[in-house]
Amino acid sequence: SLLNKLAGSERVVVDPLAGTTRDPVGELIELGGKPWRFIDTAGIRRRVHMAQGADFYASLRTQAALERAEVAVVLLARPCAETVTCMAAILITGVVGLIDDGSKVIFERSLGLTPRQKLIFQFAIATVFCLVAVNLVGIEPTVTIPFVVTVDLGVLTTVVPVGEGFAIPWLYLIFVDVLIVGMCNAVNLTDGLDGLAAGTVMFVMLIMAAIAYRADLINSAVIATAVAGACIGFLWFNSFPADIFMGDTGSLALGTALGCLAVLTKTEFLVIIIGGLFVAEALSVMIQVLYFKKTRKRIFLMAPLHHHFEKKGWSETKVVVRFWIVSGALAATGFLIYFADTLV
């Protein structure tokens, strides 16, 4: 992920070493009969599957799952700007992830796209989505903090004289860019254990579907439900020990889906609670990096957060299931806050 790169972590490909278990920095560990390379720099850990070719074909399957979700949306939702814009953002981000995963095989390098290239693609997708959402979907450039205030981020807006006028709400645009790109990479960081990202995103998407339905946004509800369904189907094969892996193809697309749905349902602030587990994972990396650079010491035994609990002795399945529970509880809490706010 981008944050791992900023931490100084390097993903490398080495020859498979089946049956080997070592536990120094950059250890080789066999998980579920599959060799993995763990890179540990400044307390930031990222796993890399040895068989990059197999990982790439798994990414192809992930992209296929996303496309099936798109088919479900096309069949059940109305073809409108809301549906097309959101699904296009999800699919294009998935393609970016697929390019990243595929380039590791095609060009025989382990890093894929550079962090700068990923950021450029992600910010471009988020920017186009935001502008289309404001001008064609009719999304108001405001952010609602439940029970507190609705902040108008459209106070600094440029209207380009195209057609009836094309508005560029600069403050809201910046906010949405940070939100979508942040969620995109936060889910990417969460994808570190078998079934972790798919399971947690599934819970969050079901809640987003309920919120969209409550707000009478049927198309957004269909999108969220389709993504949740894709996660359930993928989880069947991604549960421990995983047969296929999500890669950037899936994790980046799922993070983008969450960010886009937050904009469409006007839960831009509440999604911090609904997707609180992803926020915690991202914060654990940022805190670890900043604290290590300042003090040369670590706050967490390992980051992202799920590896911290592994270091404390929790098994992989225990970490995954407990993180599912936390994710579901946070998502449900967010829905209760949203529901209560609509009654006020």
Side-chain angles (χ1 to χ4, degrees):
S1 71
L2 298 177
L3 290 174
N4 283 356
K5 181 66 178 177
L6 293 174
S9 172
E10 294 291 340
R11 282 186 271 179
V12 298
V13 179
V14 297
D15 292 332
L17 192 56
T20 297
T21 302
R22 293 196 311 221
D23 197 22
V25 171
E27 69 266 36
L28 284 170
I29 296 179
E30 184 182 0
L31 294 177
K34 302 177 181 65
W36 293 85
R37 173 78 176 207
F38 281 90
I39 307 302
D40 175 12
T41 302
I44 310 299
R45 174 182 274 191
R46 180 69 176 178
R47 68 177 184 173
V48 183
H49 190 227
M50 303 298 205
Q52 291 290 335
D55 205 23
F56 173 58
Y57 291 117
S59 294
L60 288 176
R61 292 185 186 131
T62 305
Q63 186 67 15
L66 291 172
E67 289 171 356
R68 292 190 189 101
E70 297 248 0
V71 171
V73 172
V74 169
L75 293 175
L76 298 175
R78 292 183 304 163
C80 60
E82 174 189 351
T83 304
V84 174
T85 303
C86 186
M87 294 309 299
I90 296 171
L91 184 60
I92 294 172
T93 307
V95 171
V96 172
L98 183 63
I99 293 172
D100 179 48
D101 293 331
S103 63
K104 300 169 189 175
V105 177
I106 297 172
F107 298 107
E108 298 182 349
R109 60 180 185 177
S110 60
L111 292 178
L113 295 177
T114 66
R116 180 175 302 220
Q117 289 171 329
K118 288 184 185 180
L119 276 177
I120 291 173
F121 280 122
Q122 290 169 7
F123 274 108
I125 293 168
T127 298
V128 172
F129 171 81
C130 179
L131 293 177
V132 173
V134 169
N135 289 277
L136 298 182
V137 182
I139 298 298
E140 293 294 327
T142 59
V143 175
T144 300
I145 303 175
F147 306 111
V148 180
V149 68
T150 296
V151 182
D152 184 8
L153 295 182
V155 292
L156 185 61
T157 299
T158 300
V159 179
V160 180
V162 176
E164 297 180 358
F166 191 84
I168 305 176
W170 295 104
L171 295 180
Y172 187 69
L173 177 61
I174 294 172
F175 177 84
V176 170
D177 279 1
V178 172
L179 173 66
I180 294 178
V181 174
M183 281 298 175
C184 185
N185 287 284
V187 174
N188 181 244
L189 284 169
T190 306
D191 181 33
L193 299 177
D194 293 344
L196 181 57
T200 52
V201 171
M202 174 192 67
F203 286 114
V204 169
M205 283 299 165
L206 290 175
I207 291 298
M208 293 302 294
I211 289 175
Y213 185 79
R214 169 71 179 176
D216 200 27
L217 299 171
I218 304 302
N219 293 320
S220 293
V222 170
I223 293 172
T225 305
V227 174
C231 288
I232 294 172
F234 185 80
L235 191 57
W236 182 267
F237 302 98
N238 186 237
S239 57
F240 180 85
D243 298 312
I244 61 175
F245 309 94
M246 185 175 293
D248 285 356
T249 305
S251 60
L252 295 180
L254 292 176
T256 298
L258 180 56
C260 291
L261 286 169
V263 173
L264 294 176
T265 57
K266 299 306 296 175
T267 54
E268 299 98 333
F269 180 83
L270 199 56
V271 77
I272 297 173
I273 298 175
I274 296 172
L277 181 70
F278 311 129
V279 176
E281 292 271 31
L283 286 177
S284 70
V285 173
M286 292 187 284
I287 292 171
Q288 185 89 322
V289 172
L290 295 175
Y291 189 76
F292 185 83
K293 287 183 177 181
K294 186 176 180 65
T295 66
R296 309 306 295 178
K297 297 180 181 179
R298 302 174 181 178
I299 292 180
F300 303 100
L301 297 178
M302 189 71 64
L305 192 58
H306 51 265
H307 289 312
H308 170 79
F309 290 104
E310 277 194 304
K311 283 290 188 179
K312 288 179 71 69
W314 293 14
S315 66
E316 179 172 350
T317 52
K318 178 172 286 190
V319 173
V320 170
V321 172
R322 287 183 173 177
F323 272 47
W324 285 356
I325 294 171
V326 171
S327 178
L330 287 170
T333 300
F335 176 75
L336 290 175
I337 294 173
Y338 175 84
F339 185 80
D341 187 53
T342 59
L343 298 178
V344 176

